Amino acid sequence: MNNVYYGKLIFELTKEGRKGYSLPKNEIENYGIEALPAALTRGEAPALPEVDELTVVRHYTNMSNNNFGVDTGFYALGSCTMKYNPKINEEIAAHPFFSGLHPLQDVSTVQGALEVYYKLQQSLAELAGMKEFTLNPYAGAHGELTGLMIMRSYHMSRGDEKRTKVIVPDSAHGTNPASAAVCGLDVVVVKSRPDGTVDVDDLRPLLDDTIAGMMMTNPNTLGIFEHSIAEIAKLVHDCGGLMYYDGANLNPMLGKVRPGDIGFDIMHINLHKTFSTPHGGGGPGSGPVGVREGLEQFLPAPRVLRHEIDDDTYHYSVEACDESLGSISGFLGNFAVMMRAYTYILTLGRENVKIVGPLATLNANYVKERLKDVFELPIGGVCKHEFVFDGLKDKSTGVTTLDVAKRLLDYGFHAPTIYFPLLFHEALMIEPTENESKETLDAFIDVMHKIAQEAKDDPELVKTAPHCTPVRRLDDTQAALKPIVTYKELLEA
Ligand SMILES: *Cc1c(COP(=O)(O)O)cnc(C)c1O
């Protein structure tokens, strides 16, 4: 693209004295109000860009065009993907009736918001087969920490203080061991079998009376259904531990499998993945935590409780509870994310929620089967919502997963997740999500075949990609070690 605004900082578009906006005349003095005290006024004018209105508009519009998002193209990022984000959710969440609320308002004035909060808790409990949910945690990792604190509170309440270890599979998301460590628990790693699922024979000898519980992700980070869950849950329960379900990627299970029905005691869900909040740039998120009957008293405070006034009239209150593990967030969590989730659940309804999982599974398997002729598929068979390749099949070209990811950008596709999970050297993790059309999936498949062919015919072309993006391949090590985040640093660099 070639225009005068492109690729420039707004400070580089400055023309001294140019204005895009004029403030009304300062009338304070006309009202007899004293001018600001000298101690509060600036010594010199702020260094703001001096630009006309059109320049400002074009500058930011061009910048937004440089961004890649689900609204501009296919985004097959595995694990943390941007799943379906219906626009109606944004409209509802932004409605002034909700967005205009203040967390310190008296509860009598926010009964509608508390009703949404309460009903979302109930919907999640029903979808997950759990007794109760809290919506307080701000993210998946925060939910894990909350869940593990519940696990610890449970053991402590029984005076069982030697349970200080948590079992985590080697395929787990990095947040699992991190949350356990933050909770003050020691991590014991259990190995995976060649088919990517937890190795029950490796698990057995790890179980004793020091085990607080086990964390499992299902489908796991390889997109595989953990088919030994019933056996594993029995082993862990028999030794006195609790089962924790990492439900960050619950969408392939929605309406098909409920974690509470297959032996899990505590779990979290990522509303910003499965329940449709866009979450680029690290936020905003919400990681509700659910528990089975008998653990609800440990949920964090405050909790939203419902009181029946008469037949169909309720009053909602916000309360601390005696045995609660305490507060883990400010107020009740990220309300706008909850609004999106609740809208999404109501929009789909009881029947349509059941086709989310099968569609996610169908799309992933379609892409996998059509690409396994040119990409290395270490674990075959039916996957759930996502799958992992181990780079290109033909290793003789020297073209890596990073090169393929960069070349995809030239064709207008966001790169899949790369080099995670750590089980394969050239991991390329693809999750198409449930709502992509067959035409989009076919276009992606064609481009992936094309790149595989380019890797054979002209490997340099792929190894030096991207060629068509605003900036070429970046030195990510330098970017991490010496980030340039201000204009001043850029001038000095
Ligand atoms: C995304 C993810 C998490 C962490 O969720 P955050 O909201 O990023 O903290 C945990 N486990 C799995 C399997 C995930 O995909």
Side-chain angles (χ1 to χ4, degrees), residues 79-80 138-142 144 172-176 217 219 221 246-249 268 270 272-273 285-286 420:
S79 183
C80 296
Y138 289 125
H142 199 197
E144 291 167 23
H173 195 271
T175 50
N176 287 191
T217 307
T221 59
D246 177 339
N249 300 295
H268 82 267
N270 281 27
H272 50 291
K273 290 179 187 169
S286 175
F420 177 82

Side-chain angles (χ1 to χ4, degrees), residues 264-460:
F264 288 92
D265 306 289
I266 310 170
M267 70 176 295
H268 82 267
I269 296 174
N270 281 27
L271 294 188
H272 50 291
K273 290 179 187 169
T274 306
F275 292 95
S276 81
T277 284
H279 59 277
S286 175
V289 170
V291 292
R292 64 147 166 83
E293 189 158 14
L295 295 174
E296 61 271 37
Q297 65 273 31
F298 303 118
L299 285 168
R303 293 183 56 200
V304 173
L305 302 181
R306 184 167 84 167
H307 315 274
E308 189 167 344
I309 297 173
D310 52 50
D311 274 356
D312 232 1
T313 332
Y314 299 98
H315 172 74
Y316 297 88
S317 64
V318 179
E319 308 205 8
C321 306
D322 284 350
E323 280 186 81
S324 163
L325 59 84
S327 165
I328 45 97
S329 57
F331 305 100
L332 290 163
N334 257 336
F335 187 63
V337 181
M338 298 168 202
M339 284 309 305
R340 294 186 183 94
Y342 192 55
T343 308
Y344 180 65
I345 291 170
L346 290 187
T347 313
L348 283 173
R350 196 174 280 276
E351 286 311 310
N352 288 329
V353 103
K354 294 185 193 150
I355 59 176
V356 171
L359 281 180
T361 302
L362 177 65
N363 282 359
N365 281 285
Y366 178 68
V367 175
K368 169 173 69 66
E369 289 304 310
R370 287 207 46 205
L371 284 178
K372 70 179 188 188
D373 57 336
V374 287
F375 287 88
E376 182 78 44
L377 181 67
I379 297 176
V382 179
C383 65
K384 290 293 160 194
H385 62 305
E386 64 192 356
F387 60 91
V388 182
F389 285 135
D390 190 8
L392 281 160
K393 223 172 189 169
D394 182 354
K395 304 281 184 222
S396 71
T397 66
V399 170
T400 64
T401 280
L402 179 68
D403 302 329
V404 173
K406 295 293 180 193
R407 186 65 179 142
L408 270 171
L409 305 180
D410 282 336
Y411 290 106
F413 288 103
H414 195 283
T417 298
I418 58 173
Y419 301 109
F420 177 82
L422 306 176
L423 298 175
F424 311 111
H425 206 252
E426 289 292 324
L428 180 74
M429 185 186 208
I430 298 176
E431 174 173 1
T433 85
E434 62 273 15
N435 59 312
E436 293 292 347
S437 69
K438 179 163 180 296
E439 291 71 31
T440 301
L441 299 183
D442 285 337
F444 175 73
I445 290 163
D446 288 349
V447 161
M448 289 290 271
H449 277 129
K450 202 164 170 181
I451 295 172
Q453 193 59 45
E454 286 173 352
K456 286 198 170 83
D457 301 343
D458 186 1
E460 260 329 280

Side-chain angles (χ1 to χ4, degrees), residues 206-223:
L206 305 176
L207 295 167
D208 59 31
D209 61 2
T210 63
I211 297 298
M214 172 163 177
M215 301 179 86
M216 276 184 88
T217 307
N218 187 52
N220 65 23
T221 59
L222 296 164

